Amino acid sequence: MSDAARATLEHEGIVTGTVLKLERRVGLGGPVIVKLGRARLAIARAVAGKVEVETVEEEPG
Amino acid sequence: MRLSRFLGRGRSARADGDLPLIALVGRPNVGKSTLMGVASGRYVESVNAPGTTVMVERARVRTPEGKAWLADTPGTLSLQDSPAGGDPFWKTLTALRPDAILLVGDAGDLRRHLPLALACRDLGLPIVFAANLVDEAAGHGIEIDSGRLSQLLAAPVHLTDGRRGSGVREAVTDAVRLANYRRERLAGASPRSTVPARIYDLGLERHLTERAREMQTGRSLGAASVAAPALRDLVAASVVSPRGAAALAMAIDLEPARWRVGGDWAAQVERRRDMTTSLADRMSIWTTSIWPGLPLFLGATISVFVTMLVVGGVLSDLLTRSWDATVAPALTGAAEGLAPGSPIAAGVLWGLNGGILAVLAVGVPYIFTFYLLLAILEDSGYLTSAAVLTDRLFNVLGLPGRAAIPLLTATGCNVPAIYGTRVLPRRRERLLGAFLITMVPCSAGSAVVMAALAPFAGPIVALAAFVLIGAITFVAGLAANAIVPGRQSELVLELAPLRLPVARQVLRKAWFRFAEFAHSAVPIMLGGSIVLGLAYETGLIWPAAKVLDPIVIGWLGLPSVAGLAMVFGFLRKELALQLLVALAVVQLGATAATLNSFMTPGQLFVFAIVTSVSMPCAATLAAMAGEFGWRPALAMLTTTLTIALAAGGVLARLLSVA
């Protein structure tokens, strides 16, 4: 991942401890779309593949 | 640089009344430009897509607290972000020397907008927070406790709806009040710096305090403080507080803390109600899925193309007929009356007539129509969905997916497509996009290919010409991607919410963009037209033909007049074909009244390919020079001409016409 992409992810709020929701992967090798609060982010797979994630249970309600 | 131009104007403006300056700061696509337009009553470019404002715009505002300058800055993700591809944002901001900052954040997504507010707050400048887009937040069941947020930020907070104007005047008035207060305080005998309440954990706060002391005293800051001298200068000039300079130096440590605090504060001030998924949200998902997103994308682009062709064609025909029936005869009569038989008068007349007609036949019908369609697409928020869908395809050419929009619209007219490259985030990508646009046959270029080949070589050959032009463009794009230094940006893109465009904003945007086009391109179209007209009427054009003969006859295997026609095509592509016949009749006699009477199908094929791929028209060149500067524009002109001549020469030999 380039420094620019890493910085953009951080500026978008994807920092350690952030909870985000994987909305879907766009077909034909397109980016993944994640929900972060009310915002939706499209992230190239090459970048998304380098973000370490841990699955957490969705809070009820 | 645009910023220095702005600063120049800003300085003179300050001398004229010495007004305070309020910087509008916020993340991309949060409505800063719309808000500024409402506050100042003047047009400011705004798009429902991230990264519209790439330069600083300013406007004067009048409030109950007095007049002030309002400066619209590029949308930025943080103070360290480089939204215009150059310096980090904090340098742009501090170069403006703002007296206060009006932060614009999304009321429905405070968690992601408060960290930037905290960073600005840390600078020690007065801030006012405009929680914008409250209407959309309410639509998502989100309400904001502005009083509580004001307590936490220690700053005025206003709920605003920039598109309808509510709350905007109050927010700007508060910002002017605080700016005036700061200026009075700085002008006093013992100015005190603003020390915001402590919000970070104890260790960070202690570190900040130590660094702030170092900034103030000028003691050595150690090897890690590369930017320290510049930061100390900012403190000495009272642009930021010592703590503000320390916060800039400690940005890497502070940023995660700001996200934590922003998240905590957002949770405290937001009230959420459960809402069903809105139609806009569902459409956002559809438009970024392969199904039905891809058919929708194809439908949208074909609709733009067809609408441009149909509406543009009808308008073009109407305006051309009106011009020919009314103004053109009057112009001819005036020229003959003033200087009968003068070749110079005839040349100027020819140039004026052709130049203005070009504006009427291409500028108004195709370009204004395109700007209307583009404004609708932009304000609907659809551009980011298209960018996601086509990202992989355009990555091969070093372009992000959003390049699809200007490239497809270039098939109508190259000029607005050049301006359309503004949707691309980096200059490299804009240059690559513009280069490809110059090779895409516009409607006039397509007309040349169709009219030259379909009647005399058959529709299959015409179709083959388009396929060949597409292949040449693709290969040139691959080569340009490999040659032009720099890397392609990796996609990390916030998807704009889909919104119903507001008709008034769409019309205003289209009109102001068209005025910008007219200002830059029309003088060149008229000037070029007059020069060519004079060359034709005075006969100077024939020696020029001799100069071109080694290339035209020797390399491309075409008749001499074809070279002149291609040169005239620089004015307007479709002129190339009309002039080819006209010049052939002058040189070869009446028997050359049709293309196939003096050119073989092979020669026509070569002519069509070279004319279509080669140089852009004068208006496109002017647009490129306006957007990128003359050097890149001329470099692209030379490159496309070289590619066209190389392809033409090879084709001429393959088809045995040379």
Side-chain angles (χ1 to χ4, degrees), chain B residues 32-118:
Chain B
K32 293 183 298 301
S33 301
T34 306
L35 197 140
M36 176 152 154
V38 170
S40 65
R42 51 160 281 196
Y43 174 76
V44 180
E45 181 89 351
S46 64
V47 175
N48 181 14
T52 311
T53 308
V54 292
M55 63 188 101
V56 178
E57 297 279 352
R58 68 102 173 86
R60 195 152 54 175
V61 290
R62 189 190 299 264
T63 73
E65 293 287 336
K67 293 179 191 168
W69 288 107
L70 207 53
D72 183 20
T73 62
T76 187
L77 302 176
S78 80
L79 294 184
Q80 277 62 40
D81 187 21
S82 301
D87 286 334
F89 180 78
W90 67 265
K91 286 194 176 176
T92 306
L93 180 63
T94 53
L96 292 171
R97 296 174 177 261
D99 299 297
I101 297 174
L102 178 51
L103 254 307
V104 187
D106 184 345
D109 197 12
L110 284 180
R111 185 192 168 282
R112 299 178 68 245
H113 288 256
L114 283 176
L116 181 59
L118 291 173

Side-chain angles (χ1 to χ4, degrees), chain B residues 99-172:
Chain B
D99 299 297
I101 297 174
L102 178 51
L103 254 307
V104 187
D106 184 345
D109 197 12
L110 284 180
R111 185 192 168 282
R112 299 178 68 245
H113 288 256
L114 283 176
L116 181 59
L118 291 173
C120 290
R121 179 186 184 273
D122 284 340
L123 293 176
L125 289 163
I127 66 166
V128 173
F129 188 81
N132 199 29
L133 306 171
V134 280
D135 54 331
E136 285 189 7
H140 285 86
I142 300 168
E143 287 176 9
I144 303 297
D145 182 347
S146 58
R148 177 65 184 139
L149 184 56
S150 181
Q151 281 181 336
L152 291 167
L153 273 172
V157 172
H158 291 271
L159 302 181
T160 59
D161 176 359
R163 295 208 296 173
R164 288 171 183 78
S166 67
V168 175
R169 299 292 300 175
E170 292 81 358
V172 174

Side-chain angles (χ1 to χ4, degrees), chain B residues 551-625:
Chain B
I551 297 172
V552 177
I553 300 173
W555 175 246
L556 297 175
L558 301 177
S560 179
V561 287
L564 288 177
M566 285 191 280
V567 171
F568 271 83
F570 181 62
L571 183 62
R572 266 177 72 187
K573 289 275 182 184
E574 66 266 45
L575 271 184
L577 214 56
Q578 294 164 11
L579 279 162
L580 181 60
V581 176
L583 292 169
V585 170
V586 171
Q587 197 177 46
L588 307 171
T591 52
T594 57
L595 287 171
N596 63 343
S597 62
F598 62 97
M599 286 172 82
T600 65
Q603 285 177 317
L604 285 171
F605 193 84
V606 173
F607 176 80
I609 296 292
V610 175
T611 305
S612 181
V613 175
S614 66
M615 58 189 82
C617 68
T620 307
L621 182 68
M624 286 198 298

Side-chain angles (χ1 to χ4, degrees), chain A residues 18-55:
Chain A
T18 302
V19 178
L20 47 83
K21 184 176 177 181
L22 176 64
E23 187 177 288
R24 89 176 164 281
R25 299 172 183 83
V26 178
L28 305 176
V32 298
I33 296 180
V34 298
K35 279 202 85 166
L36 187 60
R38 203 164 72 80
R40 296 166 72 226
L41 295 178
I43 305 173
R45 289 198 189 191
V47 176
K50 290 174 184 161
V51 178
E52 282 186 33
V53 291
E54 183 184 330
T55 309

Side-chain angles (χ1 to χ4, degrees), chain A residues 1-2 4-5 8-13 15 18 23-24 26-31 33 36-44 47 61, chain B residues 27 77-78 80-81 106 108-109 111-112 136 140 142 255 259 274 284-285 288-290 388-389 392 426 487 490-495:
Chain A
M1 187 192 313
S2 68
T8 307
L9 283 180
E10 286 176 3
H11 296 329
E12 288 288 1
V15 294
T18 302
E23 187 177 288
R24 89 176 164 281
V26 178
L28 305 176
I33 296 180
L36 187 60
R38 203 164 72 80
R40 296 166 72 226
L41 295 178
I43 305 173
V47 176
Chain B
R27 289 174 68 88
L77 302 176
S78 80
Q80 277 62 40
D81 187 21
D106 184 345
D109 197 12
R111 185 192 168 282
R112 299 178 68 245
E136 285 189 7
H140 285 86
I142 300 168
E255 202 60 16
W259 280 95
D274 283 341
S284 288
I285 293 170
T288 49
S289 307
I290 295 297
V388 167
L389 278 177
R392 287 281 290 168
R426 292 188 179 176
R487 289 178 58 188
E490 291 163 310
L491 186 76
V492 180
L493 176 71
E494 182 176 347
L495 293 169

